Amino acid sequence: MSWLAQLHKTYEQGLTIDQSAAPFEKRLMPVSHTLQNAHINIVIDEQGNFKRAAVLEKTQIVLPATEKSAGRSSGEAPHPLADKIQYVAKDYAEYGGRKKPYFEGYEKQLANWCDSPCSHPKACAVHTYIKKGQVVADLIAHHILHVDEQGQLLETWSGDVTPENPEPLIFKVLPKTKGETEQGNALVCWSVEKEGDADSKTWTDQSLHQSWADFDGMAEGAKGLCFILGQEEKLTASHPAKLRHTGDKAKLISANDMAGFTFRGRFTDTKKSIEAGGSQAVGISLEVTQKAHNALRWLISRQGFRNGDQVYVSWAVSGKKIPEPLADTWSLLATSEITKQPEAEQEEEHQVDHTIDAGDNFAHKLSKYIAGYRQELEVNEQIVVMGLDSATPGRMGIIYYRELLASEFLDRLHDWHDQFAWPQRHTQELPDPNGRKKPGRKTIWPVSCPIPRVIAEAAYGDILKSNDTLKKSLLERILPCIVDGRSFPKDIMLSAVRRASNRNNCDHWEWERNLGVACALFKGYYERHTKTNKRRRYNMALEKDRTARDYLYGRLLAVAEKIEEVALNVGGEKRPTNAARLMQRFSDRPFSTWLTIEKNLQPYMQRLQGSRAGFLTNRKKELDEIHAAFVADDFTSDKSLTGEFLLGYHCQRMDLRKKSESEPSEKDKKND
């Protein structure tokens, strides 16, 4: 129950934060309220007279709710003010409503509120209006609801739909069941217009919210020990739902079967005993559960990370801003508002010379970014990371929960971004200065750690599109590597290396992205290897003094590819190089495949002998240097390569690209 206590503290801290700039539905919700999608807004005056009505599209409102109505799934449980037609309309049954009418319960509850010392003028106006029993009649008269020739509510729109005669909006905003629409499902919210009152909407009136919260707090209920506060409080038997969205019926805490072997004799609870004194297993006060669930809902809407039904959220209990653990370094640094000291000159990452910068520039920026948060957060401040998932539509579980000190959280986040950093392929839009044409696109390679979604796509490709379970399990395994500092799963790293070694299974941009991800995973995997004697660190630049066999073979492949690319370009040909086509085979049998690539390279070298002699001479020197760096019989071994060859290949490739950009072309030389 630690999570409930932390969320309860977060709610109290959240009340001190200025939320005036946020949309109303994304603010911290008051207790005794819930979030719903509204479909119809009825406007009345303070005497309870109908004025007009309108259909609402995709409008979420905060409405007063009872403990029972906030978690209702079936049966009668009216909301106090805004509710469905079947609750608020006395004449619903007269117009053939298919659902059971619950007007009496709704009217009685609203009357009790209006007759109490906590009554509110707007609630009284609504009560006066609904007692007239003409809600459906007024909505039909104003063409909000629609009936057939017999005066019964329509289930489908039977008229011809044309631009001049479109389908009524109410049929578009309401959900359909087997092609039919039940107009009684439309949720009605109220606006009460009063002279001198600029805000007539009841769902944004904070005085009305407080009025209902005060009235609901007066309700009688079973008292017992609250396990969170440690004192006698009014306990709850029903906990809120709608944590991830307004249609979410899954609950974190629920127990509704009192029969069978649920408790296996451990407890002697009955419905009556729970109503009288709470559950024997656990007691949670109404106030604590509402505040805790409201805080969790608020956090998810503000900073939650969604992966299908899974939701992950991280927060500081104090309410201070913290870095997002599932974001990549590039986006964190690009959107950083907290930096210890602003850089005087921020050099663009894609302009970094990878031949001389081994990641120092990136490490410097990352350290400054983390240092900014260290200044904002107290050392012993509590950070919580929580993951939720639902096994069934009605049940939800906590699949991941960690409480960390701020210093510990920042240290682990720094390690993740530092150890798994590698140049990653991104596309940047270049807006046209005149604003006439569509923005151009440019490929850049900023140093960054990959995000979990991209890691999953790089490791498993299109399989993920039809396998949500795999997608979820991958995130469950990657998150502990970020937050707990665990070793990275070897099978995911190997899968990413295999896919990056095969260039023929995806588009060129996708393969380049997979290459950056595979290099990052291989580098990070060995930096935090479980056996300390196997740990090693790679620079994010070409290491000419590294003599590992796999690394050198990767460099050889990159140089051969470059020679063939330039030769094809000189000859005006456009097709994949032999190095690209044979990359998969090269990783399995490097020596025998290299002999084939080297043999096929000879005609291209002859082509370059006349037109690009200088370029060819430099590449031949590099091939000789790499050959000379092999130790003993490493070169002639046909043993398959590890992911290290991708690091050598990528570093050499980036180095050659940088050289080609800096070297003058043959045309330039002639002009000189």
Side-chain angles (χ1 to χ4, degrees):
M1 290 298 167
S2 172
W3 62 274
L4 266 177
Q6 297 294 2
L7 284 168
H8 182 252
K9 288 182 191 172
T10 305
Y11 185 92
E12 300 294 350
Q13 289 291 335
L15 293 176
T16 64
I17 298 174
D18 181 16
Q19 302 174 53
S20 56
F24 198 83
E25 64 276 8
K26 290 199 172 182
R27 299 179 193 174
L28 201 52
M29 203 160 54
V31 295
S32 302
H33 285 73
T34 189
L35 201 63
Q36 284 274 13
N37 284 330
H39 305 105
I40 298 174
N41 177 30
I42 295 180
V43 183
I44 59 176
D45 61 19
E46 56 184 325
Q47 283 78 40
N49 298 314
F50 181 90
K51 297 188 74 173
R52 60 187 177 277
V55 178
L56 303 175
E57 294 182 82
K58 297 180 180 177
T59 304
Q60 289 186 341
I61 64 168
V62 175
L63 53 88
T66 64
E67 178 188 352
K68 194 176 177 183
S69 73
R72 81 180 180 198
S73 55
S74 61
E76 182 178 4
H79 294 309
L81 192 64
D83 212 326
K84 294 181 177 180
I85 294 281
Q86 69 179 121
Y87 281 90
V88 304
K90 190 177 181 180
D91 54 346
Y92 172 63
E94 297 173 19
Y95 289 89
R98 290 185 299 166
K99 291 203 162 189
K100 189 176 180 180
Y102 293 128
F103 176 75
E104 287 186 9
Y106 168 79
E107 192 275 335
K108 183 181 178 183
Q109 183 171 257
L110 183 55
N112 290 338
W113 178 17
C114 294
D115 294 338
S116 74
C118 305
S119 66
H120 193 278
K122 290 182 178 175
C124 294
V126 173
H127 183 236
T128 304
Y129 172 64
I130 57 112
K131 280 198 302 182
K132 296 177 181 177
Q134 56 185 50
V135 172
V136 174
D138 287 338
L139 292 176
I140 292 171
H142 286 77
H143 308 293
I144 301 299
L145 300 183
H146 299 268
V147 292
D148 56 18
E149 295 174 351
Q150 288 74 40
Q152 304 295 297
L153 289 170
L154 285 173
E155 296 172 357
T156 56
W157 180 244
S158 55
D160 294 333
V161 178
T162 62
E164 296 77 22
N165 185 31
E167 184 181 20
L169 195 54
I170 191 68
F171 288 96
K172 294 181 179 176
V173 299
L174 287 176
K176 290 183 173 57
T177 304
K178 297 181 180 178
E180 295 183 347
T181 302
E182 170 52 45
Q183 297 185 67
N185 280 334
L187 191 137
V188 176
C189 58
W190 308 94
S191 294
V192 181
E193 292 185 342
K194 179 184 174 184
E195 189 174 349
D197 186 1
D199 187 9
S200 61
K201 299 173 181 174
T202 56
W203 62 92
T204 59
D205 190 334
Q206 295 187 18
S207 66
L208 185 140
H209 293 164
Q210 188 59 48
S211 167
W212 168 253
D214 293 341
F215 176 73
D216 195 44
M218 292 165 58
E220 293 183 356
K223 283 201 169 186
L225 177 66
C226 173
F227 284 25
I228 306 303
L229 299 178
Q231 58 193 33
E232 291 282 325
E233 292 287 339
K234 188 169 76 174
L235 300 179
T236 183
S238 176
H239 298 269
K242 301 183 180 67
L243 289 173
R244 295 169 294 185
H245 49 81
T246 55
D248 187 10
K249 297 185 184 301
K251 292 184 179 180
L252 273 171
I253 307 173
S254 64
N256 58 6
D257 55 340
M258 303 301 299
F261 296 96
T262 304
F263 300 123
R264 294 187 182 275
R266 291 172 187 266
F267 306 106
T268 57
D269 278 330
T270 62
K271 284 186 179 178
K272 288 185 178 178
S273 69
I274 291 176
E275 289 173 3
S279 167
Q280 295 174 3
V282 64
I284 301 170
S285 69
L286 179 64
E287 181 189 349
V288 165
T289 192
Q290 291 208 4
K291 287 185 174 179
H293 282 82
N294 284 354
L296 183 55
R297 189 182 296 114
W298 175 61
L299 291 166
I300 290 173
S301 67
R302 284 197 343 156
Q303 59 216 52
F305 178 88
R306 297 172 189 272
N307 181 38
D309 288 338
Q310 280 183 343
V311 174
Y312 291 90
V313 63
S314 55
W315 74 93
V317 176
S318 65
K320 293 178 181 174
K321 190 173 181 181
I322 61 170
E324 168 55 49
L326 292 173
D328 63 346
T329 326
W330 188 51
S331 58
L332 283 180
L333 296 180
T335 59
S336 171
E337 296 175 359
I338 299 177
T339 305
K340 188 177 180 182
Q341 291 175 347
E343 294 284 349
E345 292 182 1
Q346 293 280 350
E347 185 182 12
E348 294 293 335
E349 283 294 332
H350 60 275
Q351 294 175 349
V352 172
D353 185 351
H354 293 286
T355 59
I356 57 175
D357 189 324
D360 297 340
N361 186 37
F362 167 79
H364 178 63
K365 285 183 178 178
L366 179 62
S367 297
K368 290 179 80 68
Y369 174 80
I370 296 295
Y373 279 99
R374 288 190 199 281
Q375 285 191 342
E376 292 291 321
L377 299 169
E378 300 293 335
V379 176
N380 57 353
E381 199 152 354
Q382 287 182 308
I383 307 290
V384 181
V385 183
M386 190 173 181
L388 308 171
D389 196 8
S390 53
T392 66
R395 299 286 186 276
M396 183 189 290
I398 298 175
I399 56 174
Y400 186 84
Y401 185 79
R402 293 288 185 278
E403 288 180 19
L404 305 99
L405 296 175
S407 56
E408 190 181 16
F409 175 75
L410 292 175
D411 285 343
R412 289 179 182 174
L413 211 58
H414 178 273
D415 290 346
W416 166 257
H417 286 278
D418 178 55
Q419 293 171 350
F420 288 81
W422 193 263
Q424 302 295 320
R425 188 189 193 279
H426 286 276
T427 304
Q428 192 177 44
E429 286 194 352
L430 300 173
D432 182 64
N434 300 322
R436 297 173 186 171
K437 300 178 182 177
K438 290 183 180 178
R441 287 175 175 272
K442 181 181 180 181
T443 301
I444 58 174
W445 288 87
V447 176
S448 172
C449 74
I451 58 175
R453 177 183 59 79
V454 174
I455 292 175
E457 289 175 358
Y460 293 96
D462 292 339
I463 299 175
L464 291 173
K465 292 179 181 176
S466 58
N467 196 332
D468 287 339
T469 305
L470 176 61
K471 202 187 298 181
K472 288 181 180 180
S473 68
L474 282 172
L475 188 53
E476 288 174 21
R477 296 177 66 195
I478 293 172
L479 186 63
C481 303
I482 303 171
V483 180
D484 300 337
R486 289 188 193 172
S487 300
F488 194 83
K490 187 176 182 180
D491 60 308
I492 299 176
M493 182 271 290
L494 290 177
S495 182
V497 167
R498 273 196 300 273
R499 292 200 80 243
S501 302
N502 185 4
R503 302 176 62 156
N504 304 318
N505 63 354
C506 54
D507 294 335
H508 181 69
W509 69 267
E510 190 178 355
W511 169 75
E512 284 193 330
R513 183 201 64 179
N514 295 347
L515 177 63
V517 173
C519 290
L521 298 187
F522 186 87
K523 172 176 172 282
Y525 174 81
Y526 276 97
E527 282 201 37
R528 54 171 68 176
H529 199 285
T530 50
K531 296 180 180 177
T532 52
N533 61 339
K534 290 192 175 182
R535 289 181 183 172
R536 50 184 186 260
R537 187 172 178 86
Y538 293 92
N539 289 335
M540 287 179 282
L542 184 60
E543 297 178 73
K544 292 187 177 180
D545 55 347
R546 187 176 285 275
T547 58
R549 166 182 171 268
D550 297 354
Y551 192 86
L552 292 173
Y553 259 123
R555 291 185 60 191
L556 276 180
L557 188 69
V559 175
E561 183 185 51
K562 185 66 179 178
I563 292 172
E564 191 173 347
E565 266 183 6
V566 173
L568 290 173
N569 190 36
V570 169
E573 299 179 56
K574 192 174 182 180
R575 56 180 173 81
T577 62
N578 287 306
R581 289 191 303 103
L582 299 175
M583 192 170 180
Q584 173 71 58
R585 193 175 127 192
F586 183 80
S587 67
D588 293 334
R589 300 185 296 279
F591 176 65
S592 57
T593 310
W594 171 250
L595 294 181
T596 303
I597 293 173
E598 191 175 33
K599 183 180 176 183
N600 293 337
L601 204 59
Q602 298 308 313
Y604 299 109
M605 287 185 172
Q606 291 174 5
R607 184 186 294 179
L608 293 173
Q609 195 65 48
S611 57
R612 301 292 300 274
F615 165 82
L616 183 61
T617 303
N618 290 333
R619 299 294 84 78
K620 282 183 175 178
K621 284 181 182 176
E622 283 175 338
L623 286 175
D624 292 341
E625 288 173 4
I626 297 169
H627 275 118
F630 277 94
V631 177
D633 297 332
D634 278 358
F635 181 68
T636 55
S637 169
D638 221 12
K639 182 184 173 185
S640 62
L641 300 173
T642 66
E644 190 177 22
F645 103 92
L646 291 177
L647 271 66
Y649 170 79
H650 198 200
C651 287
Q652 184 70 59
R653 196 167 182 257
M654 289 190 295
D655 181 71
L656 291 170
R657 180 181 297 168
K658 195 69 187 178
K659 285 178 180 174
S660 64
E661 290 173 358
S662 59
E663 287 176 356
S665 65
E666 295 297 323
K667 186 178 178 181
D668 294 336
K669 288 179 181 177
K670 288 178 182 177
N671 291 336
D672 293 340

